[in-house]
């Protein structure tokens, strides 16, 4: 039928509670903006800077533990957190991204600098479905700050695994690349991930889900039905139903409703 499950089953039990500056808001409306490119409206980060812009706190990550040498960072996710298609958001999404993208010499020959110290790249260990650990070869004192402005170090693995040379069936992957008209699997991977904005088929954990192709004159995003934040009254966020972005227009677009 396409009907969504009840909100209580869409939100993790330990959903992140957000207190708005004006209290509890009202749901509905459309936000119209010129561009979402590189916008915090579109992305969120594993950690988030606090209001003082000097300290940082867990965001996508529920909590963490670090050893005294600052070489081991254990990360804990929310049990019951889901991607926008309803699939579980788990440690596998982080571990497989790291192993098959960050450490994949065919994709990132130099590695990803956020995870490399002077002695080389970190390793990653899955502990259980909601727990994983980064282990660095040298002390990494500002890692949590790096994680506060880091391109998402995870992917919807249940969707993306078919587009990676280390996990996909080689024959099927070759056929997918040929059908796409792209030069290699790396370009196919990037197009399928779509920066979480350009491919409506890519699951996301962010506030809004794209529904239009990048060639559309107006890009449309709708509320993520499995978004993992609530207000202080327990209402699922975001309040805004949809976002429209028109980079072609020179006019200033306004919020029509919140």
């Amino acid at each position: 039928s396409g009907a969504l499950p009840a909100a209580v089953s869409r939100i993790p039990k330990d959903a992140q509670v957000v207190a708005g500056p004006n209290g509890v808001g009202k749901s509905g409306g459309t936000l119209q903006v010129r561009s979402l490119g590189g916008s915090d409206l579109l992305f969120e980060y594993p950690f988030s800077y606090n209001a003082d812009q000097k300290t940082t706190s867990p965001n996508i990550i529920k909590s963490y533990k670090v050893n005294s040498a600052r070489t081991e960072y254990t990360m804990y996710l929310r049990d019951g957190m889901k991607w926008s298609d309803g699939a579980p958001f788990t440690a596998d999404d982080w571990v497989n991204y790291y192993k098959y993208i960050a450490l994949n010499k065919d994709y990132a020959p130099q590695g990803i600098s956020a995870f490399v110290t002077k002695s080389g790249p970190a390793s990653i260990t899955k502990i259980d479905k909601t727990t994983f650990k980064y282990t660095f070869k040298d002390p990494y004192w500002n890692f949590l700050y790096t994680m506060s402005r880091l391109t998402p170090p995870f992917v919807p693995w249940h969707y993306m695994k078919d587009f990676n040379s280390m996990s996909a069936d080689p024959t099927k992957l070759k056929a997918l690349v040929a059908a796409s008209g792209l030069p290699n699997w790396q370009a196919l991977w990037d197009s399928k991930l779509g920066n979480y904005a350009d491919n409506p088929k890519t699951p996301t954990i962010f506030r809004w889900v794209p529904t239009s192709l990048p060639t559309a004159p107006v890009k449309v995003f709708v509320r993520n039905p499995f978004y993992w934040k609530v207000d202080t009254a327990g209402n699922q966020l975001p309040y805004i139903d949809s976002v429209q972005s028109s980079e072609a227009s020179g006019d200033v677009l306004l919020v029509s409703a919140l």
Side-chain angles (χ1 to χ4, degrees), residues 91 94-96 98-99 103 122-126 132-135:
W94 298 71
V95 172
N96 290 327
Y98 192 76
K99 288 182 176 180
L103 296 182
S123 61
I124 194 169
T125 305
K126 176 184 175 182
F132 60 96
K133 180 173 67 175
Y134 294 110
T135 302

Side-chain angles (χ1 to χ4, degrees), residues 3 6 72 84 92 107 115 119 149 159 204 215 218 232 236 243:
E72 296 182 354
S84 56
D92 287 334
Y107 186 88
F115 297 102
S119 299
R149 277 297 178 266
Y159 175 73
T204 179
T215 53
V218 177
T232 53
Q236 187 182 25
V243 177

Side-chain angles (χ1 to χ4, degrees), residues 32-156:
Q32 296 179 315
V33 296
R34 282 197 60 187
S35 173
L36 279 172
S39 171
D40 284 352
L41 284 172
L42 185 59
F43 293 115
E44 292 189 62
Y45 302 93
F47 284 72
S48 180
Y49 279 103
N50 298 317
D52 61 11
Q53 293 296 301
K54 297 179 180 180
T55 57
T56 188
S57 297
N59 185 41
I60 296 171
I61 294 292
K62 174 189 172 184
S63 60
Y64 70 97
K65 181 173 64 177
V66 58
N67 68 347
S68 58
R70 297 284 175 167
T71 56
E72 296 182 354
Y73 289 81
T74 303
M75 304 293 181
Y76 302 91
L77 304 176
R78 293 174 177 80
D79 190 16
M81 189 168 165
K82 296 179 174 67
W83 291 94
S84 56
D85 62 355
F89 178 68
T90 71
D92 287 334
D93 298 312
W94 298 71
V95 172
N96 290 327
Y97 164 84
Y98 192 76
K99 288 182 176 180
Y100 300 137
I101 287 296
L103 296 182
N104 189 330
K105 296 297 185 181
D106 289 336
Y107 186 88
Q110 305 302 319
I112 294 178
S113 61
F115 297 102
V116 178
T117 58
K118 63 181 180 180
S119 299
S123 61
I124 194 169
T125 305
K126 176 184 175 182
I127 298 173
D128 58 39
K129 70 176 184 177
T130 56
T131 313
F132 60 96
K133 180 173 67 175
Y134 294 110
T135 302
F136 294 92
K137 297 178 180 179
D138 308 289
Y140 197 162
W141 291 90
N142 65 339
F143 181 56
L144 300 183
Y145 293 91
T146 299
M147 293 281 273
S148 300
R149 277 297 178 266
L150 181 65
T151 299
F154 52 81
V155 293

